[in-house]
Amino acid sequence: MTVHRHVHIGTGAFGLGFIVPTTRKAGMEVVIANRAGGSTSQVRNLALRDKHRYNLVFLINEQRKPKVIRFKKFLFYDEDREELLSLIAEPRICLVTTALKQGVFTVVPILAEAIARRVEANVEEPLCVVACEAPTIETSAGLRDKILAAKPGLAPAVLAGKVSFPSCIVDRICGEPTMQ
């Protein structure tokens, strides 16, 4: 049985409080990535990299239910760039999500290069890229347009059936993860 993998970029409350637990519950292996330099989440990121887990408390019927969320790996996308590129390019990765307060367009060069590698390697398994950002211009369609502009060899016809960018709208109200 093939275990599908998910790469999530961002370590804020929405990504760690909703996106990662949801895909873990669906049985996916998750790799989390965030930038190292200048990140306001530096302490959290180092703990995530070292522990490969975090705690999340769910409020169910007025009772607090703590849950440990485990994931496969943590990468700093500005330090572990080549590893992240190779990972996203591999066929088992079927989902890439972003939830970045500083803007999804900061990861365009990485996503463009990883998608180009998938196309070059003739990866047939589809990849879904979802920008889970607040309702701004930084949507999945906007991300797709920036990726296409960054790599002229990537055209909609080349990506058809191989890479999709479904639209979504998010409300960032969710639990705050802890590292205890």
Side-chain angles (χ1 to χ4, degrees), residues 6 18 45 49 55 71 79 125 134 140 146 151 153 177 180:
H6 164 218
F18 179 71
N45 291 343
R49 183 189 65 191
N55 301 316
F71 57 93
E79 293 177 1
E125 290 79 358
S140 296
K146 294 283 187 187
K151 283 282 184 190
Q180 298 172 353

Side-chain angles (χ1 to χ4, degrees), residues 30-101:
V30 176
V31 174
I32 299 172
N34 203 39
R35 66 190 168 100
S39 173
T40 56
S41 305
Q42 185 68 14
V43 172
R44 179 190 295 174
N45 291 343
L46 291 171
L48 289 168
R49 183 189 65 191
D50 294 342
K51 295 182 179 185
H52 295 206
R53 64 178 162 73
Y54 58 93
N55 301 316
L56 194 59
V57 177
F58 293 90
L59 189 59
I60 301 171
N61 297 327
E62 305 288 328
Q63 292 186 2
R64 297 169 60 82
K65 304 279 184 182
K67 181 159 175 75
V68 176
I69 308 297
R70 299 183 189 284
F71 57 93
K72 181 85 171 163
K73 190 170 205 164
F74 182 91
L75 298 171
F76 287 112
Y77 65 73
D78 44 359
E79 293 177 1
D80 305 312
R81 180 184 171 90
E82 186 57 39
E83 186 175 357
L84 184 59
L85 286 169
S86 296
L87 181 68
I88 295 171
E90 76 175 43
R92 287 192 331 154
I93 297 294
C94 64
L95 177 63
V96 174
T97 55
T98 66
L100 299 165
K101 291 178 188 171

Side-chain angles (χ1 to χ4, degrees), residues 103-168:
V104 68
F105 296 148
T106 61
V107 295
V108 164
I110 291 169
L111 294 176
E113 178 62 30
I115 290 169
R117 288 183 185 189
R118 284 179 75 98
V119 169
E120 242 177 62
N122 293 315
V123 173
E124 291 299 320
E125 290 79 358
L127 175 67
C128 181
V129 180
V130 184
C132 303
E133 309 299 334
T136 66
I137 193 154
E138 297 180 350
T139 62
S140 296
L143 179 58
R144 179 200 60 224
D145 294 345
K146 294 283 187 187
I147 288 170
L148 293 174
K151 283 282 184 190
L154 295 177
V158 172
L159 300 182
K162 294 182 179 183
V163 183
S164 63
F165 297 85
S167 296
C168 80

